[in-house]
Amino acid sequence: MRTALLQSSGRPGSVAENLKVLDAAAGRAAAAGALLLAAPEMFLTGYAIGDDIGRLAEPADGDSADAIADIAGRHGLAIAYGYPERDGETVFNSAQMISAEGIRLANYRKTHLFGCFERDHFTPGGQPVVQAELGGLTVGLMICYDVEFPENVRAHALAGTDLLVVPTAQMHPFQFVAESMIPVRAWENQLYVAYVNRVGQEGEFDFVGLSALAGPDGVARARAGRGEELVFADADPAFLAASREANPYLKDRRPGLYGSLV
């Protein structure tokens, strides 16, 4: 399944402008044969927007979800994107995937909040594994800091996730996560990881880019640089099956030895 990673910070504070950026990227991705376009963490509104997070937060089925469903339908591809989700008085840092038919396939709420900024503005989610079927693959959602916890990714592997999509706001000086940890996560769990980052200076944060789609062999199929970019790579079910057969980490586990971890 050809996957497009939109490395961009969009236009922080402007939902309307970010929808335009997403629409343009969806057109380019569809023209290149992509079946899935992934955008970064909090792409809909911007990340470092302070109290505007609460003001711009929307329900999972809100107006912006309808607009993105329209974009997905017009261009004929699924879209995964980050946004602030409002559920009553509670706000979550969420990621949603909408199909090419405009159907909301999955909505994930970030379970591990990073730093005071996120803890001041969001409530952590409580469901670690959220999945949907797309293009013959089981696609899971996770957000940024979540992927840095090995237990999180292993839970996806055990639940059958083939492609883990991770909208991200990865900042300096933690670029080693994008460079080194993501390929290792893909290898040790025998799945694909699509890690799609913001880029450039935004408020107090300096986002490092370096978006990647890493395969189960620990090799990045695509790697963006430090600027705005749309990169493409394929998640191949046949290669994944062969890699899992050759590298049977999940089969060789001995869960009875690991009880002390939890």
Side-chain angles (χ1 to χ4, degrees), residues 16 18-27 30 37 64-79 98-100 102:
N18 291 328
L19 289 172
K20 290 179 183 177
V21 173
L22 193 64
D23 193 359
L37 170 66
S64 292
D66 290 343
I68 292 171
D70 177 70
I71 292 170
R74 282 191 288 105
H75 295 292
L77 81 174
I79 297 175
I98 296 176
S99 75

Side-chain angles (χ1 to χ4, degrees), residues 28-241:
R28 292 167 57 201
L35 297 181
L36 172 63
L37 170 66
E41 181 176 3
M42 292 285 286
F43 182 79
L44 183 64
T45 61
Y47 181 91
I49 58 173
D51 291 339
D52 279 349
I53 288 173
R55 181 178 66 83
L56 295 175
E58 297 185 25
D61 59 354
D63 290 344
S64 292
D66 290 343
I68 292 171
D70 177 70
I71 292 170
R74 282 191 288 105
H75 295 292
L77 81 174
I79 297 175
Y81 66 99
Y83 74 109
E85 178 193 355
R86 178 170 292 284
D87 185 357
E89 295 302 310
T90 305
V91 177
F92 299 95
N93 183 339
S94 295
Q96 182 154 238
M97 184 164 63
I98 296 176
S99 75
E101 294 74 35
I103 298 169
R104 294 174 50 243
L105 296 177
N107 188 67
Y108 171 78
R109 295 165 172 175
K110 190 173 187 178
T111 55
H112 296 76
L113 301 180
F114 179 78
C116 295
F117 177 81
E118 290 191 8
R119 288 192 290 269
D120 286 346
H121 289 93
F122 300 110
T123 295
Q127 185 175 354
V129 177
V130 173
Q131 301 167 310
E133 298 302 312
L134 183 68
L137 296 173
T138 299
V139 180
L141 292 175
M142 191 174 284
I143 300 174
C144 198
Y145 193 40
D146 291 329
V147 80
E148 298 178 36
F149 293 81
E151 302 90 342
N152 260 10
V153 186
R154 180 52 54 88
H156 268 275
L158 295 174
T161 294
D162 300 312
L163 170 62
L164 183 60
V165 177
V166 188
T168 294
Q170 180 65 66
M171 59 199 69
H172 179 81
F174 306 111
Q175 50 265 33
F176 68 89
V177 174
E179 294 170 336
S180 302
M181 186 181 291
I182 295 307
V184 170
R185 286 285 179 269
W187 164 261
E188 69 190 2
N189 291 288
Q190 288 298 295
L191 42 69
Y192 287 94
V193 180
Y195 188 77
V196 54
N197 199 10
R198 304 181 70 83
V199 65
Q201 194 73 34
E202 189 178 331
E204 64 184 287
F205 305 110
D206 181 12
F207 298 115
V208 300
L210 301 174
S211 300
L213 193 149
D217 54 357
V219 176
R221 300 295 190 277
R223 169 76 72 186
R226 298 297 185 100
E228 298 221 351
E229 195 170 348
L230 185 66
V231 297
F232 299 89
D234 296 327
D236 181 355
F239 182 84
L240 180 59

